[in-house]
Amino acid sequence: MTREPRSTLSRTDVHLWIASSDGPDGEPSSLRELEPVLSAEERNRADQFYFPHDRAQFVMARSLLRRCLSQYADIEPSAWEFEFNAFGKPAVHRRLGVDLDFNLSHSRGMCMLGITRQRPIGVDVEKRDARISLPDLIHQVMSEPEIEELRRLPARAWKSRFLDVWVFKEAYAKARGQGMSLPLQDISFLFPDGRTPELTLKPSLADRPDNWLYDFIKVPSDFHAAICIGRRRDEELRLVVREPAQL
Ligand SMILES: CC(C)(COP(=O)(O)OP(=O)(O)OC[C@H]1O[C@@H](n2cnc3c(N)ncnc32)[C@H](O)[C@@H]1OP(=O)(O)O)[C@@H](O)C(=O)NCCC(=O)NCCS
């Protein structure tokens, strides 16, 4: 018997799945019922986490990935296989012959998965954390124009702006697949009207901003999240946020 895919995803669709590995009380859910879809290696990794929150987040992220991919192809959740580029970006293994792209991000119990068809994608979610040391990070991550723009804001808004810049930069770097090995200070996400991001890239990136569609993802107010998707100039894409309850 073949397993029918339950969702369609066209070349211009972008599906975003968001799930929490914490229960309503903020404690990590046990998620034992999700584990059978993980590979033996993933189950082994899950058992090596010391903190229950980290274990739950890992199990949620990997099971979400497997169950969501199976929405779009005739492959059982436990049968997905992955390969990795030189920077660690996972992709569906080419021997499966499936043309889906995806990217995962997780932070403090929040798991986010973007899925496209033959289109690069990067997502990033970060929790606003009291322990972030802004002075160090600002100079490691932000470009000169970003720092100038930040300095024009009241100091109480700096952490929030830094995290906005961070999630956009990371979503872009993850879409390109090179992660934080890209020259981060040559990438600028500026917010001229205070809300709408505008990307500029120095020649070292060998890329053009209009190759990408990028936007905020709506998440609870103590999180920041962004998505970046490859597109041809002015190509219209349709972003749909999907509920794991639909799985
Ligand atoms: C990818 C990277 C940006 C992740 O940042 P993060 O904020 O810690 O983590 P996130 O939760 O947002 O994303 C993690 C997920 O991104 C994916 N990922 C891993 N490497 C990636 C890459 N190069 N590009 C895009 N996505 C990547 C994985 O699915 C990973 O999930 P996992 O940890 O469960 O395996 C960061 O680890 C990085 O820069 N890696 C590149 C390292 C590198 O250059 N290595 C060179 C070879 S040694």
Side-chain angles (χ1 to χ4, degrees):
M1 198 174 79
T2 56
R3 193 188 162 286
E4 288 297 317
R6 278 179 281 165
S7 301
T8 52
L9 186 78
S10 78
R11 274 271 290 133
T12 50
D13 284 337
V14 180
H15 284 190
L16 187 67
W17 296 82
I18 302 175
S20 171
S21 55
D22 289 342
D25 54 359
E27 289 302 311
S29 310
S30 111
L31 306 177
R32 292 280 171 198
E33 72 286 2
L34 299 179
E35 285 181 31
V37 302
L38 302 191
S39 67
E41 190 250 322
E42 286 168 336
R43 280 199 296 269
N44 200 14
R45 251 185 86 185
D47 287 336
Q48 284 164 17
F49 285 102
Y50 181 76
F51 293 107
H53 278 285
D54 295 335
R55 181 182 202 287
Q57 182 177 279
F58 176 80
V59 170
M60 174 56 90
R62 293 307 169 94
S63 64
L64 185 73
L65 173 61
R66 290 172 171 277
R67 289 179 301 142
C68 289
L69 288 174
S70 291
Q71 293 289 306
Y72 307 100
D74 179 19
I75 293 179
E76 289 294 338
S78 59
W80 289 98
E81 295 175 69
F82 303 101
E83 59 184 338
F84 302 85
N85 76 5
F87 304 94
K89 183 172 183 173
V92 173
H93 202 292
R94 75 198 73 171
R95 71 172 153 250
L96 294 181
V98 172
D99 62 354
L100 295 171
D101 288 290
F102 70 86
N103 195 236
L104 252 182
S105 182
H106 31 64
S107 177
R108 308 296 181 82
M110 173 85 73
C111 301
M112 195 167 275
L113 168 68
I115 302 187
T116 52
R117 198 176 286 287
Q118 293 180 325
R119 189 177 288 285
I121 179 165
V123 295
D124 191 51
V125 58
E126 300 289 340
K127 182 149 188 178
R128 194 156 56 243
D129 188 330
R131 290 168 299 180
I132 290 175
S133 168
L134 273 189
D136 297 337
L137 284 171
I138 283 173
H139 291 284
Q140 282 165 23
V141 171
M142 295 179 94
S143 66
E144 277 174 31
E146 285 169 342
I147 296 175
E148 269 169 40
E149 206 182 53
L150 182 89
R151 288 213 170 104
R152 291 199 291 274
L153 296 174
R156 64 176 186 283
W158 284 20
K159 186 175 281 182
S160 191
R161 170 57 60 85
F162 171 79
L163 283 165
D164 283 345
V165 167
W166 174 258
V167 291
F168 274 103
K169 229 169 240 207
E170 204 166 318
Y172 170 75
K174 291 178 78 186
R176 288 199 50 177
Q178 283 146 285
M180 296 295 115
S181 66
L182 285 177
L184 297 183
Q185 285 147 335
D186 292 354
I187 305 167
S188 293
F189 279 97
L190 298 174
F191 296 82
D193 67 1
R195 290 187 314 274
T196 318
E198 269 180 26
L199 171 62
T200 52
L201 298 167
K202 286 205 174 158
S204 62
L205 274 301
D207 190 13
R208 289 173 21 176
D210 59 12
N211 288 333
W212 303 95
L213 181 73
Y214 41 88
D215 205 351
F216 282 107
I217 299 169
K218 200 161 177 284
V219 279
S221 60
D222 49 344
F223 285 89
H224 295 243
I227 188 166
C228 184
I229 312 145
R231 66 159 176 190
R232 286 195 306 276
R233 206 171 173 196
D234 296 332
E235 194 178 18
E236 292 274 336
L237 302 182
R238 195 170 70 107
L239 175 66
V240 177
V241 179
R242 307 220 27 206
E243 296 287 330
Q246 295 168 356
L247 286 171

